[in-house]
Amino acid sequence: SQTIHQWPATLVQPVGSPLSLECTVEGTSNPNLYWYRQAAGRGLQLLFYSVGIGQISSEVPQNLSASRPQDRQFILSSKKLLLSDSGFYLCASRTAGANVLTFGAGSRLTVL
Amino acid sequence: GQQVMQIPQYQHVQEGEDFTTYCNSSTTLSNIQWYKQRPGGHPVFLIQLVKSGEVKKQKRLTFQFGEAKKNSSLHITATQTTDVGTYFCAGLGGSGNTGKLIFGQGTTLQVKP
């Protein structure tokens, strides 16, 4: 079965600082990878998804970007954080041919 | 675009009472999935429904998929404190191999012991 590693688990960043959240996947090859954001008490908003190395699709215009430098590595970045970027960021993986998502433990970002 | 709506947003019940959350999609779904997120945790897959009118059970949990494949429900019989959390439905959207799941807003369940 798949295992998703996300780090850091928690971070507090000042407005205007850069961001890098990393996600790695074990136990599968060539997965579809996803970044979701969950604002406090809210649902899951799909930010980016990737079907392969270097292939990124953005769901909503925003202050964030994503990259997939390796098959099982997915990175979420920002050059300058905004207050509205605060939230719980979840990486998810889907094995080709399956519909079910496996989520990582998440990264909780607070922008001050 | 495709939207998945879930009601209620919050539900407080006394332990032992039943609980139901409802999910409605603006478009026909190829399948629907349910996830549970414990407080402070991440969503965990519960079940997937594929067939029109399908009903599946997991112990005290009963999942239904509507005949038109546009709605679904999750019913918990005799809630326990371990049922606390947020329950999300998710419909499969997009085309090709993306497998984009569109999540509902979730229903947060509180159970009073």
Side-chain angles (χ1 to χ4, degrees), chain A residues 8-85:
Chain A
T10 307
L11 68 164
V12 180
Q13 296 283 98
V15 170
S17 65
L19 172 74
S20 181
L21 300 180
E22 192 158 342
C23 169
T24 58
V25 182
E26 292 180 358
T28 186
S29 296
N30 196 30
N32 287 0
L33 297 176
Y34 306 82
W35 278 112
Y36 285 87
R37 176 169 60 199
Q38 186 176 32
R42 303 288 294 278
L44 298 167
Q45 180 187 30
L46 178 61
L47 302 176
F48 301 95
Y49 68 91
S50 171
V51 300
I53 296 174
Q55 300 180 63
I56 307 294
S57 294
S58 174
E59 286 298 295
V60 293
Q62 58 206 322
N63 186 42
L64 302 168
S65 62
S67 62
R68 184 169 177 176
Q70 300 182 45
D71 179 47
R72 288 174 286 178
Q73 184 184 25
F74 205 21
I75 298 171
L76 184 69
S77 305
S78 174
K79 292 182 179 178
K80 290 185 178 181
L81 285 169
L82 305 171
L83 287 175
S84 57
D85 291 324

Side-chain angles (χ1 to χ4, degrees), chain A residues 32 34 36 38 94 99 101, chain B residues 31 35 37 97-98 101:
Chain A
N32 287 0
Y34 306 82
Y36 285 87
Q38 186 176 32
R94 181 180 76 88
N99 292 325
L101 291 184
Chain B
N31 68 60
Y35 292 75
Q37 183 179 24
N97 192 35
T98 65
L101 280 182

Side-chain angles (χ1 to χ4, degrees), chain A residues 100-101 103, chain B residues 32-36 43-48 58:
Chain A
V100 175
L101 291 184
F103 285 87
Chain B
I32 195 154
Q33 301 175 18
W34 286 90
Y35 292 75
K36 177 182 179 181
V44 175
F45 172 77
L46 292 177
I47 208 161
Q48 175 176 269
Q58 288 180 350

